Amino acid sequence: MPQNLTLNVNGTGHAIAVEPNSMLLYALRNNLGLHGPKFGCGLAECGACTVLMDGKAIRSCVMPVSAVGRSEITTLEGLGTLDKPHPLQRAFIEEQAAQCGYCINGMIMTAKALLDHTPHPSREEIKRTLEGNLCRCGTHMRIVRAIERAAEQGG
Amino acid sequence: MSRYETYTGAAGLLSRREFLQASGGLIIAFRLFDPAKGAAATVAATQSVSPPPAGRLYAWLAVHPDNTATLFTGKVETGTGVLTALAQIAAEELDFPVDRLAVVMGTTSQTVDQGPSYGSMTVRYAGPQVRNAAAAGRQVMLDLGARHFKLPASGLEAKDGTIAVTGAPGRNITYGQLVDGKRLDFEIGASGEQFAMKVAPQARPKDPSTYKVVGKSVPRKDIPGKVTGQFTYVQDVRVDGMLHGRVVRPYGVGAKLLSVDETGLKDIPGFVQIVRRANFLGVVAQTEWAAIQAAQKLGSTLSSPGPDGGQAKWSRWEGLPLMDQIWDTVRSSAGRDTPVASHGSVDTALRSLAGGRTLKATYKTPFQMHGSIGPSCAIAEVKGDRATFWSGTQMPHETRRDMAKMLGIPLANIELRWIEASGGYGRNGLDHVVADAAVMSQAVGRPVRVQWMRWDEHGWEPKGPPIVQDLTGALDKHGRVVAWRHHMWVPTISDTHLIAAALIGKPDISGETGTGADPALTYAYTFDNADVVVHGKGRVALLTAWLRSPAQFETTFAMESFIDELAAAAGQDPLAFRLAYLKDPRAIAVLKAAAQEYGWVSRPARGKKPSPNGKPVQGRGIAWVNRDDSRVATIADVTVDPGSGRIKVGRVVVAHDCGLVVNPDGLRNQVEGNIIQSLSRTLHEEVAFDRSQVSSRDWQGYPILRFSEIPDRIDVVLVNNRPEYPPNGAGEPSTNPTAAVISSAVFDAIGVRLRQTPFRPDRVKAALG
Ligand code: FES
Ligand code: FES
């Protein structure tokens, strides 16, 4: 049966009623209308659903809501807006680092967690960190450049 | 009486306020125009949802009171940036600021059918249609200005969305004021259909040498929304009263549904019902999670329980050919032959060869998939004899017609609202999922959103077919090519019958059964004796559809690798060897441009075998293609590790001639994408299947290229980017040379010739012996 619980997302508590064993991704997308995180595989294989949980990049498609507890969740929407993009988002715009863009949520959120604890990663570190994120359009070169640019600008 | 009709929104669907709300966002910098939100709630049941007439200006353009404008096009964005490219073309001709021009794509009630968006043909074919419509639009603005100022149009000029009196500073008026909120109900004329449609034949578009917006790297309009989570993909659309559906596909491509045990389904909170119709099985629920749980109970899981292991029982079906014999099926099912080139006599040349060499080789390529990162998704609302769809299909107008056929609903009552999806790269599952949603919505009488699970996508999206090719080449004793034979067995790439339609027992919707032929290759060499034939479309058991540069990726692999084999056998430099047999100046130009950028030093391929556990060795490869008149030459460096069999790509140089480039940075983005995706197809990709079904059901079963494997650099050189060369397609051409480039580079490095993709490490090691 659906349970009432509170999710802390992008700095605000949200009361929702969901199946406790359902995955965080569906709560974010369907209950909270946050479409930054995407469904790609539901198998922790592609990274499209990545969000931050207490600052760590996690795959929301395999994270049961019941395991989230009081943790702080940050989604792509929580980083910045069209008017005030986060430095990473700005760097992705400046590098025109998207084709279809479906994977980009995962790229930015994974990069955010990286830059938060390694502000100046090497190119190899960036690639290694993104190794589990798939992009089918082949935007990889620009994604790497965008993250380097954000790092230079102190993202 | 006014020649205008009162402005009722873009094409009569949005209230003006909603339209301005929706499009207003775009005006400030790069906000979003979200057709999903605006249009969703406002269609009255009695309104016409037929496409607008192509000969009226309002079918292409709307100008709004705040001096913003909207371009309407039946073409759609698939991630390649055509939205921005078409906006640039329209803004150029209309003399309108491109950042104030929104684009509505694909929605069948608002756009003209310009044909599906495939084959790199959008800019080439739809570009001139949009260009003419916008040029006609500028003329209308000048005429309106003439009436306003009571001056001849010749004394006026159009600039940045304003009509100004020449030589009278301050006397000007915006397009928005001139149009005054009305629909642009002017006849501009149109004839023909889809790709061949001629629009506004009287229009006088600009001289390309005067272009100011076309040719600029205008930032893509969609990217800010996409990187901030504000963009609406079809996967994000929600409709009032909507339920969630999931499909439960047969175990076995041709299996019959025997029984469904519904035990436990009712216990899933939010479960509504199953939808069973002949062999179609789906579930519908209030929540997405409940739909997933219910489908899982019936057998929709990553590791499927088998035909009778789940609660849905299927007949045992094992009609697929053996995977490693699929190329025999390709040969034996071939239809009519079509000659591509026939010069002299290859047989005579081979018989009379004295002192030279004859080479023979067979090239094989497997089933490959589109593999969109976001699985196919659509919403259908079927109510009585009316239907509305929200879909990201590449071919909205076709899909609308298909739905009329499948549902038996009059075409005039069907609307498809197009919303961008995850990148497609060809015809994937996006139109099939419309049919799934339609069947379920019809059954439950409410809007149903269906998203495929990852295994549905991998397992059931139509695939690019396997191809087999035999080549024979002969060199005389001076190392000159005296005979060239290239026979290709290319199955149909349009065996795309809608899955749901077939499952409910209507197997004839939207697909072909084969026989004809598609050249799939542009042959440009000047060998005296040549015999190039396509053995026409056979069928190969799994649904097939066009996949980025259909068949030509594969035929270029064989042709360009085999040229390299001949060059190596003749002991000649592979670039010089090609140039000796080419007359096409644009082909020669791209090859030379790539060589110059790369710093090509003339030498034959080394082709020496390394010691088994020797150090990694480097090699280089070159190849080119003519894809629908766009020429591309690619050169790449690889490093091959003989111990592990791993191929690592270093620098890639691409010389690209698609004529005048509408958006140079957009083109570079495309080329980079093509190179990385085609490297992935070259190194990794092969759809596995057993006798029942596709067994590559997720990214583990169908690996694609990852960050650690991307090239060090991709350098792009633009060739013939000049006004005198009309813009040509760029969405696909640079995919084509890659497999041949890598095959030849591997040969240069380690002396083994890889003739079957993908070049996995185990294959490289096996080839080394
Ligand atoms: S959707 Fe979560 S990893 Fe793919
Ligand atoms: S940009 Fe399309 S999947 Fe990465």
mmCIF file of all heavy atoms in Angstrom, chain B residues 433-472:
data_model
loop_
_atom_site.group_PDB
_atom_site.id
_atom_site.type_symbol
_atom_site.label_atom_id
_atom_site.label_comp_id
_atom_site.label_asym_id
_atom_site.label_seq_id
_atom_site.Cartn_x
_atom_site.Cartn_y
_atom_site.Cartn_z
ATOM 1 N N VAL B 433 5.624 2.129 -30.641
ATOM 2 C CA VAL B 433 5.046 2.342 -29.314
ATOM 3 C C VAL B 433 3.754 3.150 -29.404
ATOM 4 O O VAL B 433 2.875 3.040 -28.543
ATOM 5 C CB VAL B 433 6.090 2.990 -28.372
ATOM 6 C CG1 VAL B 433 6.290 4.458 -28.678
ATOM 7 C CG2 VAL B 433 5.707 2.790 -26.906
ATOM 8 N N VAL B 434 3.591 3.909 -30.476
ATOM 9 C CA VAL B 434 2.323 4.610 -30.700
ATOM 10 C C VAL B 434 1.213 3.577 -30.875
ATOM 11 O O VAL B 434 0.122 3.695 -30.304
ATOM 12 C CB VAL B 434 2.418 5.518 -31.953
ATOM 13 C CG1 VAL B 434 1.052 6.069 -32.320
ATOM 14 C CG2 VAL B 434 3.410 6.652 -31.722
ATOM 15 N N ALA B 435 1.528 2.547 -31.638
ATOM 16 C CA ALA B 435 0.534 1.494 -31.873
ATOM 17 C C ALA B 435 0.215 0.750 -30.576
ATOM 18 O O ALA B 435 -0.942 0.407 -30.301
ATOM 19 C CB ALA B 435 1.047 0.523 -32.937
ATOM 20 N N ASP B 436 1.233 0.506 -29.754
ATOM 21 C CA ASP B 436 0.986 -0.144 -28.455
ATOM 22 C C ASP B 436 0.031 0.695 -27.604
ATOM 23 O O ASP B 436 -0.928 0.183 -27.021
ATOM 24 C CB ASP B 436 2.304 -0.311 -27.684
ATOM 25 C CG ASP B 436 3.228 -1.339 -28.322
ATOM 26 O OD1 ASP B 436 2.717 -2.328 -28.884
ATOM 27 O OD2 ASP B 436 4.460 -1.151 -28.230
ATOM 28 N N ALA B 437 0.344 1.989 -27.534
ATOM 29 C CA ALA B 437 -0.481 2.878 -26.713
ATOM 30 C C ALA B 437 -1.902 2.950 -27.272
ATOM 31 O O ALA B 437 -2.878 2.990 -26.521
ATOM 32 C CB ALA B 437 0.151 4.266 -26.647
ATOM 33 N N ALA B 438 -2.014 2.927 -28.616
ATOM 34 C CA ALA B 438 -3.331 3.006 -29.244
ATOM 35 C C ALA B 438 -4.191 1.801 -28.864
ATOM 36 O O ALA B 438 -5.359 1.941 -28.504
ATOM 37 C CB ALA B 438 -3.170 3.083 -30.759
ATOM 38 N N VAL B 439 -3.591 0.616 -28.930
ATOM 39 C CA VAL B 439 -4.358 -0.597 -28.606
ATOM 40 C C VAL B 439 -4.824 -0.534 -27.149
ATOM 41 O O VAL B 439 -5.974 -0.852 -26.833
ATOM 42 C CB VAL B 439 -3.496 -1.858 -28.852
ATOM 43 C CG1 VAL B 439 -4.186 -3.108 -28.303
ATOM 44 C CG2 VAL B 439 -3.204 -2.008 -30.347
ATOM 45 N N MET B 440 -3.941 -0.078 -26.270
ATOM 46 C CA MET B 440 -4.317 -0.049 -24.849
ATOM 47 C C MET B 440 -5.328 1.045 -24.545
ATOM 48 O O MET B 440 -6.259 0.842 -23.783
ATOM 49 C CB MET B 440 -3.059 0.105 -23.993
ATOM 50 C CG MET B 440 -2.205 -1.161 -24.021
ATOM 51 S SD MET B 440 -1.000 -1.170 -22.672
ATOM 52 C CE MET B 440 0.479 -1.510 -23.564
ATOM 53 N N SER B 441 -5.168 2.213 -25.155
ATOM 54 C CA SER B 441 -6.116 3.292 -24.908
ATOM 55 C C SER B 441 -7.496 2.922 -25.434
ATOM 56 O O SER B 441 -8.515 3.181 -24.792
ATOM 57 C CB SER B 441 -5.631 4.590 -25.558
ATOM 58 O OG SER B 441 -6.602 5.600 -25.413
ATOM 59 N N GLN B 442 -7.513 2.308 -26.591
ATOM 60 C CA GLN B 442 -8.795 1.894 -27.161
ATOM 61 C C GLN B 442 -9.504 0.921 -26.213
ATOM 62 O O GLN B 442 -10.706 0.983 -26.022
ATOM 63 C CB GLN B 442 -8.566 1.239 -28.528
ATOM 64 C CG GLN B 442 -9.813 1.131 -29.375
ATOM 65 C CD GLN B 442 -9.493 0.707 -30.802
ATOM 66 O OE1 GLN B 442 -8.612 -0.115 -31.031
ATOM 67 N NE2 GLN B 442 -10.216 1.258 -31.758
ATOM 68 N N ALA B 443 -8.711 0.058 -25.572
ATOM 69 C CA ALA B 443 -9.305 -0.945 -24.687
ATOM 70 C C ALA B 443 -9.835 -0.331 -23.393
ATOM 71 O O ALA B 443 -10.843 -0.784 -22.860
ATOM 72 C CB ALA B 443 -8.281 -2.035 -24.370
ATOM 73 N N VAL B 444 -9.161 0.676 -22.870
ATOM 74 C CA VAL B 444 -9.576 1.209 -21.571
ATOM 75 C C VAL B 444 -10.344 2.523 -21.663
ATOM 76 O O VAL B 444 -10.872 2.993 -20.655
ATOM 77 C CB VAL B 444 -8.370 1.391 -20.603
ATOM 78 C CG1 VAL B 444 -7.662 0.067 -20.374
ATOM 79 C CG2 VAL B 444 -7.402 2.445 -21.114
ATOM 80 N N GLY B 445 -10.376 3.129 -22.849
ATOM 81 C CA GLY B 445 -11.139 4.359 -23.020
ATOM 82 C C GLY B 445 -10.555 5.569 -22.320
ATOM 83 O O GLY B 445 -11.267 6.529 -22.029
ATOM 84 N N ARG B 446 -9.290 5.513 -21.999
ATOM 85 C CA ARG B 446 -8.618 6.670 -21.383
ATOM 86 C C ARG B 446 -7.257 6.840 -22.038
ATOM 87 O O ARG B 446 -6.744 5.929 -22.681
ATOM 88 C CB ARG B 446 -8.446 6.424 -19.876
ATOM 89 C CG ARG B 446 -9.768 6.593 -19.133
ATOM 90 C CD ARG B 446 -9.665 6.266 -17.673
ATOM 91 N NE ARG B 446 -8.708 7.098 -16.942
ATOM 92 C CZ ARG B 446 -8.455 6.922 -15.632
ATOM 93 N NH1 ARG B 446 -9.069 5.961 -14.960
ATOM 94 N NH2 ARG B 446 -7.593 7.704 -15.023
ATOM 95 N N PRO B 447 -6.649 8.019 -21.866
ATOM 96 C CA PRO B 447 -5.299 8.186 -22.422
ATOM 97 C C PRO B 447 -4.337 7.231 -21.725
ATOM 98 O O PRO B 447 -4.409 7.070 -20.501
ATOM 99 C CB PRO B 447 -4.929 9.636 -22.079
ATOM 100 C CG PRO B 447 -6.190 10.302 -21.647
ATOM 101 C CD PRO B 447 -7.119 9.225 -21.181
ATOM 102 N N VAL B 448 -3.489 6.589 -22.492
ATOM 103 C CA VAL B 448 -2.510 5.663 -21.911
ATOM 104 C C VAL B 448 -1.117 6.045 -22.395
ATOM 105 O O VAL B 448 -0.888 6.235 -23.589
ATOM 106 C CB VAL B 448 -2.808 4.196 -22.296
ATOM 107 C CG1 VAL B 448 -1.719 3.266 -21.738
ATOM 108 C CG2 VAL B 448 -4.169 3.767 -21.766
ATOM 109 N N ARG B 449 -0.228 6.164 -21.428
ATOM 110 C CA ARG B 449 1.182 6.415 -21.741
ATOM 111 C C ARG B 449 1.927 5.089 -21.677
ATOM 112 O O ARG B 449 1.867 4.390 -20.661
ATOM 113 C CB ARG B 449 1.776 7.383 -20.729
ATOM 114 C CG ARG B 449 3.294 7.541 -20.838
ATOM 115 C CD ARG B 449 3.812 8.442 -19.721
ATOM 116 N NE ARG B 449 5.239 8.705 -19.852
ATOM 117 C CZ ARG B 449 6.209 7.942 -19.331
ATOM 118 N NH1 ARG B 449 5.905 6.845 -18.643
ATOM 119 N NH2 ARG B 449 7.472 8.262 -19.490
ATOM 120 N N VAL B 450 2.598 4.735 -22.753
ATOM 121 C CA VAL B 450 3.377 3.501 -22.760
ATOM 122 C C VAL B 450 4.843 3.844 -22.950
ATOM 123 O O VAL B 450 5.205 4.593 -23.861
ATOM 124 C CB VAL B 450 2.939 2.551 -23.904
ATOM 125 C CG1 VAL B 450 3.814 1.297 -23.921
ATOM 126 C CG2 VAL B 450 1.475 2.173 -23.734
ATOM 127 N N GLN B 451 5.659 3.338 -22.075
ATOM 128 C CA GLN B 451 7.104 3.431 -22.289
ATOM 129 C C GLN B 451 7.637 2.008 -22.291
ATOM 130 O O GLN B 451 7.286 1.197 -21.433
ATOM 131 C CB GLN B 451 7.761 4.257 -21.182
ATOM 132 C CG GLN B 451 9.252 4.432 -21.399
ATOM 133 C CD GLN B 451 9.841 5.600 -20.607
ATOM 134 O OE1 GLN B 451 9.154 6.258 -19.831
ATOM 135 N NE2 GLN B 451 11.120 5.845 -20.801
ATOM 136 N N TRP B 452 8.475 1.712 -23.268
ATOM 137 C CA TRP B 452 9.073 0.383 -23.309
ATOM 138 C C TRP B 452 10.111 0.249 -22.207
ATOM 139 O O TRP B 452 10.782 1.223 -21.851
ATOM 140 C CB TRP B 452 9.751 0.143 -24.654
ATOM 141 C CG TRP B 452 8.796 -0.116 -25.785
ATOM 142 C CD1 TRP B 452 7.431 -0.155 -25.714
ATOM 143 C CD2 TRP B 452 9.145 -0.365 -27.142
ATOM 144 N NE1 TRP B 452 6.908 -0.423 -26.960
ATOM 145 C CE2 TRP B 452 7.937 -0.562 -27.846
ATOM 146 C CE3 TRP B 452 10.344 -0.458 -27.838
ATOM 147 C CZ2 TRP B 452 7.906 -0.835 -29.211
ATOM 148 C CZ3 TRP B 452 10.322 -0.722 -29.196
ATOM 149 C CH2 TRP B 452 9.111 -0.915 -29.872
ATOM 150 N N MET B 453 10.235 -0.949 -21.687
ATOM 151 C CA MET B 453 11.325 -1.242 -20.768
ATOM 152 C C MET B 453 12.595 -1.424 -21.616
ATOM 153 O O MET B 453 12.548 -1.605 -22.822
ATOM 154 C CB MET B 453 11.024 -2.496 -19.935
ATOM 155 C CG MET B 453 9.759 -2.382 -19.078
ATOM 156 S SD MET B 453 9.784 -0.994 -17.908
ATOM 157 C CE MET B 453 10.900 -1.631 -16.648
ATOM 158 N N ARG B 454 13.728 -1.381 -20.961
ATOM 159 C CA ARG B 454 14.986 -1.502 -21.710
ATOM 160 C C ARG B 454 15.005 -2.764 -22.568
ATOM 161 O O ARG B 454 15.426 -2.770 -23.718
ATOM 162 C CB ARG B 454 16.177 -1.471 -20.734
ATOM 163 C CG ARG B 454 17.555 -1.657 -21.326
ATOM 164 C CD ARG B 454 17.837 -0.881 -22.593
ATOM 165 N NE ARG B 454 17.692 0.550 -22.518
ATOM 166 C CZ ARG B 454 17.606 1.338 -23.592
ATOM 167 N NH1 ARG B 454 17.665 0.832 -24.805
ATOM 168 N NH2 ARG B 454 17.447 2.626 -23.457
ATOM 169 N N TRP B 455 14.492 -3.876 -22.034
ATOM 170 C CA TRP B 455 14.529 -5.140 -22.800
ATOM 171 C C TRP B 455 13.527 -5.127 -23.950
ATOM 172 O O TRP B 455 13.743 -5.813 -24.943
ATOM 173 C CB TRP B 455 14.326 -6.350 -21.883
ATOM 174 C CG TRP B 455 13.225 -6.200 -20.877
ATOM 175 C CD1 TRP B 455 11.908 -6.487 -21.038
ATOM 176 C CD2 TRP B 455 13.369 -5.712 -19.534
ATOM 177 N NE1 TRP B 455 11.210 -6.217 -19.885
ATOM 178 C CE2 TRP B 455 12.073 -5.749 -18.949
ATOM 179 C CE3 TRP B 455 14.445 -5.260 -18.776
ATOM 180 C CZ2 TRP B 455 11.844 -5.335 -17.626
ATOM 181 C CZ3 TRP B 455 14.219 -4.854 -17.468
ATOM 182 C CH2 TRP B 455 12.932 -4.902 -16.910
ATOM 183 N N ASP B 456 12.450 -4.344 -23.803
ATOM 184 C CA ASP B 456 11.528 -4.210 -24.945
ATOM 185 C C ASP B 456 12.244 -3.492 -26.092
ATOM 186 O O ASP B 456 12.112 -3.852 -27.263
ATOM 187 C CB ASP B 456 10.287 -3.390 -24.568
ATOM 188 C CG ASP B 456 9.479 -4.027 -23.449
ATOM 189 O OD1 ASP B 456 9.400 -5.267 -23.407
ATOM 190 O OD2 ASP B 456 8.936 -3.279 -22.611
ATOM 191 N N GLU B 457 12.976 -2.442 -25.717
ATOM 192 C CA GLU B 457 13.672 -1.641 -26.724
ATOM 193 C C GLU B 457 14.756 -2.478 -27.420
ATOM 194 O O GLU B 457 14.796 -2.590 -28.633
ATOM 195 C CB GLU B 457 14.300 -0.415 -26.050
ATOM 196 C CG GLU B 457 14.898 0.597 -27.007
ATOM 197 C CD GLU B 457 13.843 1.492 -27.658
ATOM 198 O OE1 GLU B 457 12.711 1.583 -27.134
ATOM 199 O OE2 GLU B 457 14.156 2.089 -28.699
ATOM 200 N N HIS B 458 15.629 -3.056 -26.614
ATOM 201 C CA HIS B 458 16.698 -3.867 -27.195
ATOM 202 C C HIS B 458 16.131 -5.038 -28.004
ATOM 203 O O HIS B 458 16.611 -5.365 -29.074
ATOM 204 C CB HIS B 458 17.603 -4.414 -26.085
ATOM 205 C CG HIS B 458 18.803 -3.554 -25.787
ATOM 206 N ND1 HIS B 458 18.700 -2.237 -25.437
ATOM 207 C CD2 HIS B 458 20.121 -3.844 -25.775
ATOM 208 C CE1 HIS B 458 19.931 -1.747 -25.240
ATOM 209 N NE2 HIS B 458 20.804 -2.704 -25.433
ATOM 210 N N GLY B 459 15.113 -5.653 -27.452
ATOM 211 C CA GLY B 459 14.596 -6.878 -28.063
ATOM 212 C C GLY B 459 13.744 -6.626 -29.295
ATOM 213 O O GLY B 459 13.743 -7.433 -30.217
ATOM 214 N N TRP B 460 13.011 -5.501 -29.316
ATOM 215 C CA TRP B 460 11.970 -5.361 -30.330
ATOM 216 C C TRP B 460 12.110 -4.160 -31.237
ATOM 217 O O TRP B 460 11.373 -4.034 -32.213
ATOM 218 C CB TRP B 460 10.594 -5.360 -29.656
ATOM 219 C CG TRP B 460 10.248 -6.724 -29.155
ATOM 220 C CD1 TRP B 460 10.664 -7.290 -27.982
ATOM 221 C CD2 TRP B 460 9.457 -7.709 -29.821
ATOM 222 N NE1 TRP B 460 10.173 -8.568 -27.876
ATOM 223 C CE2 TRP B 460 9.421 -8.854 -28.987
ATOM 224 C CE3 TRP B 460 8.770 -7.743 -31.032
ATOM 225 C CZ2 TRP B 460 8.733 -10.010 -29.336
ATOM 226 C CZ3 TRP B 460 8.067 -8.894 -31.377
ATOM 227 C CH2 TRP B 460 8.060 -10.018 -30.528
ATOM 228 N N GLU B 461 13.000 -3.235 -30.954
ATOM 229 C CA GLU B 461 13.150 -2.152 -31.939
ATOM 230 C C GLU B 461 13.609 -2.802 -33.248
ATOM 231 O O GLU B 461 14.370 -3.775 -33.228
ATOM 232 C CB GLU B 461 14.181 -1.114 -31.466
ATOM 233 C CG GLU B 461 15.603 -1.651 -31.317
ATOM 234 C CD GLU B 461 16.691 -0.684 -31.788
ATOM 235 O OE1 GLU B 461 16.919 -0.657 -33.000
ATOM 236 O OE2 GLU B 461 17.307 0.005 -30.951
ATOM 237 N N PRO B 462 13.153 -2.305 -34.400
ATOM 238 C CA PRO B 462 13.617 -2.873 -35.665
ATOM 239 C C PRO B 462 15.124 -2.627 -35.826
ATOM 240 O O PRO B 462 15.620 -1.572 -35.457
ATOM 241 C CB PRO B 462 12.831 -2.091 -36.717
ATOM 242 C CG PRO B 462 11.707 -1.448 -35.987
ATOM 243 C CD PRO B 462 12.174 -1.222 -34.592
ATOM 244 N N LYS B 463 15.820 -3.605 -36.369
ATOM 245 C CA LYS B 463 17.279 -3.550 -36.413
ATOM 246 C C LYS B 463 17.806 -3.192 -37.808
ATOM 247 O O LYS B 463 17.145 -3.425 -38.807
ATOM 248 C CB LYS B 463 17.849 -4.930 -36.046
ATOM 249 C CG LYS B 463 17.294 -5.532 -34.748
ATOM 250 C CD LYS B 463 17.771 -4.759 -33.538
ATOM 251 C CE LYS B 463 17.414 -5.421 -32.227
ATOM 252 N NZ LYS B 463 15.967 -5.402 -31.905
ATOM 253 N N GLY B 464 19.020 -2.691 -37.829
ATOM 254 C CA GLY B 464 19.747 -2.616 -39.099
ATOM 255 C C GLY B 464 20.153 -4.036 -39.451
ATOM 256 O O GLY B 464 20.653 -4.773 -38.612
ATOM 257 N N PRO B 465 19.922 -4.465 -40.714
ATOM 258 C CA PRO B 465 20.097 -5.890 -41.037
ATOM 259 C C PRO B 465 21.557 -6.304 -41.248
ATOM 260 O O PRO B 465 22.398 -5.472 -41.560
ATOM 261 C CB PRO B 465 19.338 -6.034 -42.347
ATOM 262 C CG PRO B 465 19.456 -4.704 -42.987
ATOM 263 C CD PRO B 465 19.449 -3.689 -41.854
ATOM 264 N N PRO B 466 21.828 -7.606 -41.107
ATOM 265 C CA PRO B 466 23.139 -8.139 -41.444
ATOM 266 C C PRO B 466 23.328 -8.103 -42.964
ATOM 267 O O PRO B 466 22.364 -8.200 -43.714
ATOM 268 C CB PRO B 466 23.080 -9.588 -40.954
ATOM 269 C CG PRO B 466 21.634 -9.936 -40.902
ATOM 270 C CD PRO B 466 20.885 -8.658 -40.680
ATOM 271 N N ILE B 467 24.557 -7.944 -43.377
ATOM 272 C CA ILE B 467 24.859 -7.839 -44.810
ATOM 273 C C ILE B 467 26.104 -8.672 -45.088
ATOM 274 O O ILE B 467 27.009 -8.742 -44.242
ATOM 275 C CB ILE B 467 25.083 -6.351 -45.186
ATOM 276 C CG1 ILE B 467 23.750 -5.588 -45.102
ATOM 277 C CG2 ILE B 467 25.709 -6.200 -46.579
ATOM 278 C CD1 ILE B 467 23.860 -4.098 -45.243
ATOM 279 N N VAL B 468 26.128 -9.323 -46.239
ATOM 280 C CA VAL B 468 27.324 -10.081 -46.626
ATOM 281 C C VAL B 468 27.737 -9.634 -48.022
ATOM 282 O O VAL B 468 26.886 -9.346 -48.865
ATOM 283 C CB VAL B 468 27.082 -11.614 -46.531
ATOM 284 C CG1 VAL B 468 25.915 -12.049 -47.417
ATOM 285 C CG2 VAL B 468 28.349 -12.387 -46.870
ATOM 286 N N GLN B 469 29.047 -9.547 -48.244
ATOM 287 C CA GLN B 469 29.549 -9.011 -49.506
ATOM 288 C C GLN B 469 30.765 -9.812 -49.969
ATOM 289 O O GLN B 469 31.674 -10.077 -49.188
ATOM 290 C CB GLN B 469 29.959 -7.542 -49.340
ATOM 291 C CG GLN B 469 28.808 -6.677 -48.825
ATOM 292 C CD GLN B 469 29.246 -5.286 -48.415
ATOM 293 O OE1 GLN B 469 29.523 -4.462 -49.261
ATOM 294 N NE2 GLN B 469 29.311 -5.023 -47.133
ATOM 295 N N ASP B 470 30.757 -10.200 -51.242
ATOM 296 C CA ASP B 470 31.895 -10.889 -51.846
ATOM 297 C C ASP B 470 32.614 -9.927 -52.778
ATOM 298 O O ASP B 470 31.969 -9.283 -53.616
ATOM 299 C CB ASP B 470 31.418 -12.090 -52.677
ATOM 300 C CG ASP B 470 30.866 -13.203 -51.791
ATOM 301 O OD1 ASP B 470 31.180 -13.218 -50.584
ATOM 302 O OD2 ASP B 470 30.109 -14.044 -52.320
ATOM 303 N N LEU B 471 33.927 -9.893 -52.657
ATOM 304 C CA LEU B 471 34.706 -9.027 -53.538
ATOM 305 C C LEU B 471 35.831 -9.796 -54.209
ATOM 306 O O LEU B 471 36.428 -10.696 -53.598
ATOM 307 C CB LEU B 471 35.297 -7.847 -52.761
ATOM 308 C CG LEU B 471 34.232 -6.883 -52.220
ATOM 309 C CD1 LEU B 471 34.020 -7.091 -50.744
ATOM 310 C CD2 LEU B 471 34.583 -5.440 -52.535
ATOM 311 N N THR B 472 36.051 -9.429 -55.453
ATOM 312 C CA THR B 472 37.180 -9.990 -56.193
ATOM 313 C C THR B 472 37.892 -8.823 -56.864
ATOM 314 O O THR B 472 37.240 -7.946 -57.430
ATOM 315 C CB THR B 472 36.689 -10.949 -57.300
ATOM 316 O OG1 THR B 472 35.876 -11.942 -56.691
ATOM 317 C CG2 THR B 472 37.869 -11.613 -58.011
#
